Amino acid sequence: ELERLEKLWPKLQIPITYLHGSEDKLVPYKGNINFTKSTFNDSLLTTKTIDGEGHVFPMTNMDIVKQVILNILKK
């Protein structure tokens, strides 16, 4: 499914905020950030590194995600 969806990602024309934990052992941080930056339109993409967090931080530290969403809504 990811390979199928990957072809659609460059077509997105909405703001994208991408969060990635710097200590992610499942999806390597550096490679995935570089892939994301090469795939999505730079003018629409905001990347945020969550220092010291791993792959499951959205479930284990929901306050991070909540704060990012609230900041987006304030714009």
Side-chain angles (χ1 to χ4, degrees), residues 9 12-18 36 40-41 44-47:
W9 290 343
L12 289 176
Q13 295 300 308
I14 58 171
I16 299 163
T17 300
Y18 178 80
T36 301
F40 295 104
N41 183 328
L44 299 172
L45 178 65
T46 302
T47 60

Side-chain angles (χ1 to χ4, degrees), residues 4-69:
R4 199 172 70 139
L5 288 173
E6 183 179 349
K7 296 172 189 169
L8 301 174
W9 290 343
K11 296 179 182 181
L12 289 176
Q13 295 300 308
I14 58 171
I16 299 163
T17 300
Y18 178 80
L19 309 176
H20 199 110
S22 65
E23 301 302 315
D24 193 330
K25 304 296 185 221
L26 185 62
V27 180
Y29 167 76
K30 189 173 183 176
N32 213 45
I33 284 287
N34 290 337
F35 172 80
T36 301
K37 288 179 178 180
S38 71
T39 301
F40 295 104
N41 183 328
D42 284 345
S43 66
L44 299 172
L45 178 65
T46 302
T47 60
K48 295 191 181 291
T49 299
I50 311 303
D51 289 325
E53 292 289 341
H55 189 75
V56 297
F57 77 86
M59 281 81 61
T60 60
N61 196 343
M62 288 185 249
D63 287 339
I64 293 171
V65 178
K66 179 181 175 183
Q67 191 59 52
V68 169
I69 292 170

